[in-house]
Structures are given as structure tokens and as C-alpha cells.
Amino acid sequence: MKTLKTQIAIIGAGPSGLLLGQLLHNAGIETLILERQTPDYVLGRIRAGVLEQGMVELLRQAGVGQRMDAEGLVHEGFELALNGRLQHIDLKSLTGGKTVMIYGQTEVTRDLMAAREQAGAITFYEARNVQPHDLKGERPWLTFEHQGQQVRVDCDYIAGCDGFHGVARQSIPSDVLKTFERVYPFGWLGILADTPPVHDELVYAKHPRGFALCSMRSSSRSRYYLQVPAAESIDAWSDQRFWDELKARLPTDLAAQLVTGPSIEKSIAPLRSFVVEPMQYGRLFLLGDAAHIVPPTGAKGLNLAAGDVSTLFTILCKVYREGRVELLEKYSQICLRRIWKAERFSWWMTSMLHQFPEADGFSQRIAQSELEYFVESEAGRKTIAENYVGLPYEAIQ
Ligand code: APR
Ligand code: PHB
């Protein structure tokens, strides 16, 4: 068996693993990344596209902000469509100057992969059967198979950045973990199309037929979503049906401006809220989707991953430079404070904006008036805006 040594072994080359790897590499801390898929497979997944300012700054700090700053779209607000009208949420004025950046997760991942390759840091793609060992000991290690060869990696710490279905969380004894979960009775049917976005800002639409979202990747590429039943089959949705349904859920003026075209990607994602506590077991740390999932209505999934990366990176720097090993025990509680606030916001936005099949008339009226109140009141808009641009990262002393 081939044996390798590193300081931080990272499982997963999604945005969490790659961003952590880049920050650590720049700080002189050695990493190895083990990824189950090929780079093309990882880049083929179409995911979210709204970056909070904290994540934007972290990407710049990691030295991968150039293309994002050149090609990303800074959005100073977004629209909530309700009762056939658009209601503007002016993020910038409501938050004392904060904005968000529209730049696809796929592009973030592409930039991080290129930077890692350029830095000469090692990633094993198509790493099969990754298994962590001795997590409670001083010297944890991992085994995996690569191109038919058995490999062992000895390390100081393991970062589990392997997403919701990864091995990291599953390697923690189940009696240690507490799981909190809510599954919603609907999913999002998304399409990507090379058509100009219907509006220059994102539009989140509440409608009796179900929720709809108008998003974008650039000035010539649109991303749209429709709330659909949880068990919906993608085959039931031709492009034409999608466009017709989207039009039906948007205010008439906006629907009239919608430019349609062939979809270049179409998929259905279930909606779920999920958190595990704690996010650490011995020398294994969970980051991003490995530890938590939010429904996409608040645009928080990717940004929460960045928060975990920032926290673990800051702690590891203090561990290696100042010997502050006691901080490792605080990783989980620091992350979870911010995560739960984003879980609450994502659940709340989801509850207000969607049609719940089981909801009685009373619940429907409450959700409707809650949204009306929040968009009509400046205090309400401020609450939405403050959460949407992202709550601050906690300082680590
Ligand atoms: N061994 C190695 N790699 C694995 C394993 C495994 N057993 N299981 C999963 N992986 C890889 C996946 O192939 C994937 O590339 O781990 C990576 C996890 O990436 P993501 O699922 O993108 O998760 P993360 O990096 O935490 O990204 C944050 O937040 O809400 C979401 O859309 C958002 O996907 C984004 C996520
Ligand atoms: C997206 O562009 O994919 C997107 C934008 C905002 C969301 C969710 C998804 O809240």
C-alpha cells in the first residue's frame, strides 16, 4: 500500500473542500483532497448562484476573485412578487451598503480547481471507497483506492467536505450525532436557458399556483425555478409546459417580457432542512452540505459552506501558528450559531412563499399576510434584507 502524509486531509472537491484547500495552501498548511468523481462531473452539477459579501471577500482572500469580480453581477436588491405586483427589497439601502454577487457555484468551483492546479496542490479525483480511521486518536488516517492502488494518508486533521451523501458524517457513531430535519412536500424544477433574464434583479414570486423564481447566471443566461410536487417526474415537463407555467405564476407585465428558448439543463431538487450536531468528532470536522442543508429559498446553502470554511480556516491557522488547540473544540458551536439563524431564515422564506398542499385556509391566509406585512413595512424589509445579504461571521479570539 502506498502511504502519503499531509497536514489536513480534505474529503470532497466541491466548493467547501476546494475553498478550504486554497486558503490553507496560501497559509502554508499542506492539504490533500480526495474526490470521488471526475472534475468534469463535479463541474457538470448546476447549483446555486448568489454569493453573500462574506463569501465574496473570502474568495478574494483565497486569491480566486479575479474572474468573479470581472464577470459576476453585483445585485443591490431583489424583487418579491405578490398579488400580481413587484415589491422591491433594496438590499443596499436597507443594510447600510451591503450587496450580493450573482456568480454561479459552477464558476466558483472552476476557479478554485484552476487555482489549486496552478498551486501544484494535490487532488485525487476518482478516489474510491474513502474511509477515515482513528478519528479520536492523535494521528487519524484515511484509506482509499486510486487507479487500482490502495492508498493510505496520515494526517493531523480531516475535513469532511463531502456533501450530504458523503462518508464523513456516516463515519461518526450515530449515537454521538443529533439530527434535526424537515422535509417539505414539494421540490424545485429548475431550467437553465441561454435567454436574457426577464428582469435585471432576481424575482421571488408567491402565487396561488405555486412559487416561482427568476434568477440568472449572466446577462444572457437565465435560471428559472417552479415549485412542483415532491414526487413530480421530470418527463412531465416539456420546455413549453415550463414556460407556460412560469408565465402563469408571474405578474402579467413581467410575464409579457419573458423571453423563452430551449433549456440547456433541467432538473428537480427536493427541498429539505437538515442539521447535525455536533459538527466535529475527534479530529474530523464536518463542513458545508455534509453537516447541513437548507431549502434554496434564502440562497444560503453555498454561503453557509463558506462560513464553515472561514471558521475552520481561522481556527487551524491559530492552531498551527499559536498552538491554540483549545479552539478546535469550539468549531462546532461557533458554526452552529450562524447556521441555525440561516436555517430559520430559509425555513421562514420557504414557508411564506410556497403553497403547502396540506395547509388549511387559515394557514394560507397567515402566510399571505405575513409576507404582505414584511414587504410593506420598512422594519420587515430590513429583516429580510439583513438575513439575505448574510449575517456576519463570528470573530474568533
Ligand atoms: N469520497 C470522496 N468524495 C465524496 C464522497 C466520498 N465518499 N462523497 C461525496 N464526495 C464529493 C462529491 O462528489 C462532491 O464533489 O464531495 C463533494 C461535495 O460537494 P458539494 O455537495 O457541492 O458540497 P459542499 O462542497 O459542501 O458545497 C456546498 O451548499 O447548498 C449547497 O449548492 C450548494 O453544493 C453546494 C453546497
Ligand atoms: C439560483 O440562481 O440558482 C438561485 C438563486 C437564488 C436562490 C436559489 C437559487 O434563492
Side-chain angles (χ1 to χ4, degrees):
M1 183 179 325
K2 181 157 107 179
T3 302
L4 303 168
K5 254 184 88 167
T6 191
Q7 288 175 297
I8 314 295
I10 299 174
I11 314 175
S16 305
L18 288 166
L19 181 53
L20 179 68
Q22 200 59 28
L23 289 162
L24 289 170
H25 175 86
N26 295 345
I29 300 171
E30 208 188 305
T31 63
L32 256 184
I33 299 186
L34 312 178
E35 164 61 50
R36 181 161 61 180
Q37 307 289 354
T38 63
D40 282 348
Y41 183 96
V42 173
L43 290 173
R45 296 186 294 227
I46 307 295
R47 297 259 179 95
V50 179
L51 312 185
E52 295 173 353
Q53 208 152 307
M55 178 163 192
V56 166
E57 280 156 23
L58 200 62
L59 288 166
R60 290 184 187 135
Q61 186 190 338
V64 292
Q66 302 86 334
R67 202 162 67 90
M68 169 188 73
D69 283 322
E71 297 175 19
L73 308 170
V74 174
H75 278 203
E76 297 183 355
F78 68 87
E79 304 279 0
L80 283 165
L82 175 69
N83 302 329
R85 285 182 48 209
L86 294 184
Q87 306 268 6
H88 192 233
I89 304 293
D90 189 332
L91 295 172
K92 196 169 184 180
S93 74
L94 290 164
T95 60
K98 293 192 182 145
T99 57
V100 294
M101 175 82 83
I102 306 301
Y103 190 62
Q105 177 175 326
T106 311
E107 303 313 313
V108 171
T109 309
R110 198 187 306 281
D111 296 345
L112 283 163
M113 280 180 175
R116 185 165 180 89
E117 195 173 336
Q118 204 173 15
I122 298 171
T123 308
F124 286 92
Y125 286 98
E126 298 181 82
R128 307 269 177 240
N129 195 21
V130 174
Q131 294 291 340
H133 307 275
D134 272 354
L135 299 174
K136 283 291 208 183
E138 294 277 294
R139 293 295 296 167
W141 49 289
L142 289 151
T143 49
F144 65 100
E145 291 150 35
H146 190 250
Q147 293 172 351
Q149 196 176 22
Q150 283 285 334
V151 188
R152 169 180 171 137
V153 181
D154 293 322
C155 59
D156 297 337
Y157 302 101
I158 299 173
C161 301
D162 50 351
F164 185 62
H165 301 286
V167 66
R169 190 178 69 250
Q170 287 165 27
S171 61
I172 301 176
S174 55
D175 57 340
V176 172
L177 289 183
K178 219 172 164 164
T179 300
F180 302 84
E181 189 167 26
R182 177 129 323 168
V183 177
Y184 300 88
F186 40 74
W188 279 17
L189 166 64
I191 72 164
L192 196 63
D194 278 328
T195 54
V198 66
H199 194 66
D200 54 2
E201 290 183 338
L202 268 58
V203 181
Y204 292 78
K206 180 175 176 73
H207 191 276
R209 297 180 68 92
F211 170 75
L213 170 60
C214 307
S215 183
M216 65 191 74
R217 290 291 174 274
S218 69
S219 58
S220 57
R221 181 167 285 187
S222 304
R223 179 80 168 147
Y224 296 105
Y225 297 96
L226 293 174
Q227 173 188 348
V228 293
E232 190 73 333
S233 160
I234 193 116
D235 300 332
W237 288 87
S238 65
D239 288 357
Q240 190 59 48
R241 180 172 177 209
F242 185 97
W243 294 121
D244 290 345
E245 185 62 31
L246 179 61
K247 278 186 193 160
R249 296 184 189 187
L250 296 179
T252 324
D253 296 356
L254 194 65
Q257 288 164 38
L258 183 71
V259 180
T260 63
S263 64
I264 51 177
E265 195 263 1
K266 194 187 286 168
S267 54
I268 297 183
L271 263 68
R272 170 196 305 270
S273 299
F274 175 90
V275 183
V276 286
E277 297 183 0
M279 290 167 59
Q280 176 197 1
Y281 178 71
R283 289 181 173 240
L284 169 69
F285 298 86
L286 301 179
L287 296 91
D289 278 18
H292 42 75
I293 299 287
V294 285
T297 326
K300 289 282 158 269
L302 178 58
N303 293 300
L304 277 184
D308 299 347
V309 168
S310 171
T311 303
L312 188 61
F313 170 65
T314 306
I315 289 175
L316 287 174
C317 285
K318 287 184 190 283
V319 167
Y320 282 104
R321 290 181 190 151
E322 303 162 30
R324 300 277 309 278
V325 287
E326 84 286 357
L327 288 175
L328 293 166
E329 301 296 324
K330 297 204 171 140
Y331 167 74
S332 186
Q333 66 201 63
I334 293 172
C335 288
L336 284 165
R337 280 194 282 269
R338 188 169 187 278
I339 288 160
W340 271 113
K341 293 187 181 82
E343 289 282 344
R344 186 208 67 81
F345 178 65
S346 305
W347 161 84
W348 179 64
M349 290 285 278
T350 303
S351 311
M352 277 192 305
L353 286 163
H354 291 74
Q355 300 300 325
F356 284 69
E358 304 291 307
D360 60 13
F362 183 82
S363 310
Q364 287 174 16
R365 290 286 191 277
I366 291 290
Q368 172 77 18
S369 65
E370 188 170 26
L371 188 58
E372 281 176 10
Y373 164 70
F374 272 86
V375 298
E376 287 161 10
S377 141
E378 172 155 7
R381 288 194 300 275
K382 239 180 167 147
T383 295
I384 293 175
E386 176 177 53
N387 283 278
Y388 194 85
V389 299
L391 298 174
Y393 292 173
E394 210 173 290
I396 299 169
Q397 304 302 337

